[in-house]
């Protein structure tokens, strides 16, 4: 196989990014050309934590994903979806995983990312008291980026959500970066939705553009 000096240089740039505390590389034309190649191949993303810096896909691959801890049990039917771990608890684990100097920045997005707690409303139907549940909405966070950088720690956030409270409701899976970059996937059942979430979790890290291969549409 012929020797590729550009591949060697690109590998060296990846090492430079990972060894830089701010993900920076020299501003030479050769380094900038390397960054363009690496971004085109989804090997580096803009760093959410350092303006002008980059983070490598291989370093993001070592970071944890966050989701309901009992997601698999719900997906295989051992427990009902009403028992899914609360979004606030999932978000707590994400924040706790971050360096201390990033935790306050992450907390600022709690309401947008984790949403508000689900409610159970009691109503009277004839002689019966019926509990009406909000549609299911379960949070997950994965390493990656969109057209804009991700959340602190370089995370995309998403959710699987039941579109109505009806038992036969359709579902959707949404993914977002820090700004208005988004991707969505529509499915017919809870089982399909939770299986798609598990596929997304297993595929990280990625850019939102790469989720098209997983059946998502970019918004």
């Amino acid at each position: 196989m012929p020797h590729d000096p550009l591949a060697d240089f690109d590998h060296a740039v990846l090492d430079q990014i990972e060894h830089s505390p701010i993900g920076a590389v020299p501003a030479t034309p050769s380094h900038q050309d390397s960054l363009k190649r690496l971004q085109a191949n989804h090997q580096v993303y803009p760093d959410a934590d350092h303006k002008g810096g980059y983070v490598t896909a291989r370093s993001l691959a070592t970071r944890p994903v966050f989701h309901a801890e009992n997601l698999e049990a719900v997906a295989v039917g051992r427990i009902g979806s009403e028992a899914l771990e609360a979004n606030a608890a999932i978000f707590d684990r994400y924040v706790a995983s971050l360096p201390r100097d990033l935790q306050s920045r992450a907390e600022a997005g709690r309401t947008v990312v984790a949403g508000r707690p689900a409610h159970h409303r009691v109503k009277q139907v004839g002689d019966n008291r019926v509990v009406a549940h909000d549609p299911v909405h379960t949070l997950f966070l994965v390493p990656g980026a969109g057209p804009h950088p991700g959340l602190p720690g370089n995370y995309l956030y998403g959710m699987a959500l039941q579109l109505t409270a009806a038992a036969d409701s359709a579902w959707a899976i949404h993914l977002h970066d820090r700004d208005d970059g988004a991707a969505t996937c529509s499915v017919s059942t809870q089982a399909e939705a939770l299986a798609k979430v598990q596929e997304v979790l297993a595929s990280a890290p990625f850019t939102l553009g790469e989720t098209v291969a997983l059946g998502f549409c970019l918004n």
Side-chain angles (χ1 to χ4, degrees):
M1 181 178 295
H3 181 69
D4 184 354
L6 290 180
D8 289 344
F9 188 77
D10 290 351
H11 185 82
V13 170
L14 290 174
D15 289 342
Q16 286 181 306
I17 291 171
E18 290 177 353
H19 286 95
S20 167
I22 58 172
V25 298
T28 66
S30 57
H31 283 84
Q32 298 308 305
D33 287 345
S34 177
L35 282 174
K36 290 176 183 177
R37 291 191 297 271
L38 292 169
Q39 287 184 285
N41 292 325
H42 308 296
Q43 294 186 63
V44 299
Y45 310 146
D47 190 343
D49 305 323
H50 303 99
K51 187 174 181 179
Y54 293 87
V55 61
T56 68
R58 68 190 186 189
S59 67
L60 291 185
T62 68
R63 299 188 184 179
V65 296
F66 299 94
H67 55 85
E69 290 190 325
N70 54 0
L71 180 70
E72 183 177 355
V74 174
V76 300
R78 288 202 300 270
I79 59 176
S81 57
E82 69 280 358
L84 277 164
E85 182 183 18
N87 289 345
I90 300 168
F91 193 81
D92 286 344
R93 288 191 279 109
Y94 154 66
V95 172
S97 76
L98 299 172
R100 187 173 298 275
D101 61 332
L102 296 180
Q103 290 181 358
S104 60
R105 287 172 52 194
E107 278 290 353
R110 177 180 286 272
T111 300
V112 171
V113 175
R116 294 176 174 81
H119 296 287
H120 308 296
R121 298 172 299 279
V122 178
K123 62 180 180 179
Q124 197 75 25
V125 179
D127 295 329
N128 300 316
R129 287 166 59 85
V130 178
V131 177
H133 299 274
D134 281 347
V136 177
H137 174 293
T138 188
L139 174 70
F140 60 94
L141 299 104
V142 295
H148 315 284
L151 300 176
N154 294 286
Y155 277 85
L156 299 170
Y157 70 96
M159 64 286 298
L161 57 151
Q162 188 181 15
L163 298 184
T164 73
D168 60 352
S169 170
W171 286 64
I173 302 91
H174 293 188
L175 273 165
H176 299 269
D177 61 20
R178 182 184 294 178
D179 202 335
D180 59 359
T184 59
C185 179
S186 298
V187 295
S188 299
T189 66
Q190 173 182 294
E192 291 176 292
L194 299 186
K196 181 62 67 175
V197 170
Q198 291 173 312
E199 182 181 20
V200 168
L201 295 172
S203 300
F206 48 73
T207 65
L208 284 180
E210 292 178 277
T211 64
V212 171
L214 300 177
F216 283 76
C217 296
L218 301 180
N219 292 11

